[in-house]
């Protein structure tokens, strides 16, 4: 289980237009927002990533670099990027399931075609959103076992203003006896 204030697992994937993404060398001025999405087959992901694309400049104004990735291959990732009109948001692809598990993501098996008529891959990871500090420690995380009820990016932008102004620490870090 990932815990705030501890090191994030290694994360390296290819991106569509920005070469290799390696979390250890991303070097944001404040944080990196990593959004794991289910894949092209997911209609909820498409809408969710459109919102992240729209708000990426607002995140950038706060020193937060954004990337979205899935286990989809390059072609399906390109189709998703086209679908959401990705101009600002980096799109990664080829996330391995072993790395997804290290990040605490749930893995699902295919149930055929989705409501938008696209075949689910044999396996795919469920969503997760993480804020990672430049020192590679986890600041904030949210992992879902379903495609619904994800963190709202507009609220995250507002929360970052508070975090920055008040030097608010990562919470949820206690791992001692209870």
């Amino acid at each position: 289980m990932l815990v705030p204030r501890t090191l994030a697992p290694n994360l390296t994937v290819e991106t569509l237009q920005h070469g290799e993404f390696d979390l250890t060398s991303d070097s944001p001025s404040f944080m990196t927002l990593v959004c794991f999405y289910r894949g092209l087959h997911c209609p909820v992901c498409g809408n969710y990533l459109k919102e992240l694309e729209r708000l990426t400049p607002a995140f950038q104004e706060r020193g937060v670099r954004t990337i979205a990735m899935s286990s989809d291959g390059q072609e399906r990732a390109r189709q998703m990027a086209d679908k959401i009109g990705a101009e600002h948001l980096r799109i990664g692809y080829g996330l391995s399931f072993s790395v997804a598990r290290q990040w605490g993501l749930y893995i699902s098996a295919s149930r055929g075609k989705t409501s938008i008529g696209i075949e689910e891959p044999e396996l795919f990871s469920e969503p997760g959103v993480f804020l990672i500090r430049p020192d590679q420690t986890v600041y904030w995380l949210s992992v879902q076992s379903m495609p619904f009820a994800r963190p709202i990016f507009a609220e995250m932008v507002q929360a970052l203003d508070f975090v920055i102004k008040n030097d608010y620490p990562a919470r949820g870090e206690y791992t001692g006896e209870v």
Side-chain angles (χ1 to χ4, degrees):
M1 175 172 83
L2 286 182
V3 176
R5 301 187 197 174
T6 63
L7 283 177
N10 290 332
L11 182 60
T12 305
V13 294
E14 290 298 322
T15 68
L16 293 176
Q17 297 182 343
H18 301 92
E20 183 181 79
F21 169 84
D22 183 342
L23 184 61
T24 62
S25 59
D26 195 43
S27 64
S29 61
F30 192 57
M31 292 189 205
T32 300
L33 186 156
V34 178
C35 177
F36 296 100
Y37 69 98
R38 301 171 84 219
L40 178 66
H41 65 276
C42 177
V44 177
C45 293
N47 291 330
Y48 196 58
L49 294 182
K50 280 181 188 175
E51 183 69 354
L52 182 54
E53 163 64 25
R54 185 183 74 78
L55 289 171
T56 286
F59 280 109
Q60 290 170 339
E61 289 171 9
R62 290 153 179 85
V64 177
R65 299 190 69 194
T66 61
I67 184 165
M69 65 186 70
S70 75
S71 57
D72 276 350
Q74 183 177 16
E75 181 52 36
R76 283 173 68 111
R78 187 168 312 288
Q79 289 177 48
M80 179 61 91
D82 292 345
K83 182 178 184 174
I84 67 167
E87 292 179 25
H88 308 288
L89 176 63
R90 295 176 289 176
I91 303 292
Y93 60 91
L95 175 69
S96 75
F97 296 113
S98 62
V99 170
R101 281 246 166 99
Q102 290 172 13
W103 281 79
L105 301 180
Y106 295 94
I107 309 294
S108 291
S110 176
R111 295 182 46 93
K113 287 189 177 182
T114 62
S115 61
I116 57 174
I118 298 175
E119 191 76 26
E120 292 180 342
E122 184 178 327
L123 294 174
F124 56 92
S125 63
E126 292 294 341
V129 179
F130 297 78
L131 285 172
I132 308 297
R133 290 191 175 276
D135 67 1
Q136 308 309 303
T137 57
V138 176
Y139 179 77
W140 179 88
L141 63 104
S142 176
V143 175
Q144 292 84 238
S145 63
M146 298 289 273
F148 326 113
R150 301 181 197 193
I152 300 168
F153 291 123
E155 289 179 7
M156 289 179 70
V157 168
Q158 291 175 347
L160 282 166
D161 290 337
F162 177 85
V163 166
I164 293 164
K165 178 181 177 191
N166 296 290
D167 193 25
Y168 196 78
R171 303 311 311 260
E173 77 289 352
Y174 181 76
T175 59
E177 300 235 1
V178 291

